[in-house]
């Protein structure tokens, strides 16, 4: 139970393909996607408390999942690029602590969003590099309720981190492209350190529609008043992109 609540305290994915040619007006794209992430790490829920090692596969995570929403998007005008990503999930689990004690239900709602903007450089005719900076927001609400008794506890964590990022896009033949994205953030402003990375292979169905498959990694290291979360999420992703001018 404590493992689940601690993990859930972490509530990704700049995986949308980008068109390589510059345009005078605004262009954009949106990508809903699914992310099958397992996790591992260490959590100390309160100051002076024990450190819990946490680890669950994607299948164990899916057992607890009640709902999730993942969306990323990109807007561009000339060499100005704006990239955003939002991830939301809601999970719960009921466990019995044993020794005749009533079961406890833990619930977690997590919202994670990143917005970065910067300049695109045309490295080669088929390659672009985006240098970006922005913010990442974490909003996590966790509750624990003792079944059959009027006992409950809750905790909320909200963080805003500065972020710097690089995004690389390369066009291949036959409608394929590759994207690599990486960022780091926190720097002690919100989290002590946070990072994410994603690599995708994309295929153009036509000029407006793409499908993407790849892998994503997210790391959060946060410590305040003796409580600590140091956790890593990683797993495959699959998305569908709609591009518009």
């Amino acid at each position: 139970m404590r493992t689940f609540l601690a993990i859930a305290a972490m509530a990704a994915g700049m995986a949308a393909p980008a068109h390589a040619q510059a345009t005078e007006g605004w262009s954009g794209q949106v990508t809903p996607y699914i992310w099958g992430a397992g996790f591992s790490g260490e959590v100390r829920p309160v100051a002076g408390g024990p450190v819990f090692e946490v680890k669950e596969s994607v299948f164990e995570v899916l057992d607890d999942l009640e709902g999730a929403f993942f969306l990323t998007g990109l807007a561009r005008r000339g060499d100005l690029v704006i990239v955003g990503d939002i991830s939301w999930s809601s999970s719960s689990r009921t466990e019995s602590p044993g020794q005749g004690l009533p079961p406890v239900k833990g619930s977690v709602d997590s919202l994670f969003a990143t917005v970065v903007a910067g300049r695109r450089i045309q490295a080669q005719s088929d390659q672009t590099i985006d240098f970006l900076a922005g913010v990442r927001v974490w909003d996590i609400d966790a509750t624990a309720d003792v079944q059959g008794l009027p006992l409950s506890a809750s905790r909320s964590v909200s963080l805003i981190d500065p972020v710097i990022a690089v995004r690389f896009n390369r066009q291949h033949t036959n409608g394929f492209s590759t994207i690599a994205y990486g960022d780091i953030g926190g720097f002690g402003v919100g989290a002590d350190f946070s990072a994410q990375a994603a690599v995708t292979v994309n295929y153009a169905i036509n000029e407006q529609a793409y499908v993407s498959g790849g892998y994503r990694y997210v790391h959060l290291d946060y410590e305040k008043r003796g409580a600590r979360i140091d956790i890593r999420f990683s797993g495959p992703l699959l998305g569908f992109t709609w591009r518009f001018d």
Side-chain angles (χ1 to χ4, degrees), residues 93-108:
R93 175 186 290 184
T94 301
E95 291 187 358
S96 176
Q99 300 180 346
L101 297 175
V104 179
K105 180 180 180 180
S107 301
V108 176

Side-chain angles (χ1 to χ4, degrees), residues 10-66:
M10 151 74 191
M14 310 304 177
H19 195 266
Q21 300 300 318
T23 59
E24 293 300 326
W26 283 99
S27 62
Q29 57 200 43
V30 292
T31 307
Y33 65 96
I34 55 176
W35 182 34
F39 60 80
S40 63
E42 295 182 348
V43 176
R44 183 172 61 236
V46 295
V51 176
F52 298 98
E53 291 190 3
V54 295
K55 185 175 183 179
E56 285 194 9
S57 69
V58 60
F59 301 105
E60 293 171 315
V61 172
L62 289 174
D63 284 340
D64 301 327
L65 191 65
E66 293 186 342

Side-chain angles (χ1 to χ4, degrees), residues 13-20 27-34 70-75 82-85 120 167 169 171 175 177-179 200-214 237-245:
M14 310 304 177
H19 195 266
S27 62
Q29 57 200 43
V30 292
T31 307
Y33 65 96
I34 55 176
F70 304 101
L71 181 72
T72 188
L74 179 146
I82 303 171
V83 180
D85 179 88
R120 169 162 296 181
R167 186 176 185 272
N169 178 47
Q171 301 293 321
S177 63
T178 303
I179 287 177
T200 63
V201 175
N202 319 289
Y203 176 72
I205 302 172
N206 53 45
E207 291 187 357
Q208 282 75 43
Y210 299 76
V211 290
S212 302
L237 63 85
L238 180 65
F240 176 81
T241 296
W242 181 258
R243 181 178 176 274
F244 50 90
D245 293 319

Side-chain angles (χ1 to χ4, degrees), residues 114-193:
T114 304
V115 178
V116 289
R119 183 182 179 187
R120 169 162 296 181
I121 296 176
Q122 191 80 35
Q124 297 182 21
S125 61
D126 59 350
Q127 297 178 20
T128 61
I129 302 175
D130 303 332
F131 294 96
L132 310 161
V135 296
R136 177 155 43 235
V137 177
W138 312 78
D139 188 23
I140 305 150
D141 297 306
T143 62
D145 297 297
V146 180
Q147 304 294 285
L149 295 175
L151 297 176
S152 65
S154 63
R155 185 171 184 179
S156 297
V157 176
S158 296
L159 306 173
I160 300 178
D161 293 333
V163 173
I164 56 175
V166 176
R167 186 176 185 272
F168 172 81
N169 178 47
R170 179 170 183 175
Q171 301 293 321
H172 304 290
T173 58
N174 300 321
F176 285 93
S177 63
T178 303
I179 287 177
Y181 172 91
D183 72 37
I184 58 173
F187 310 111
V189 177
D192 294 307
F193 177 79

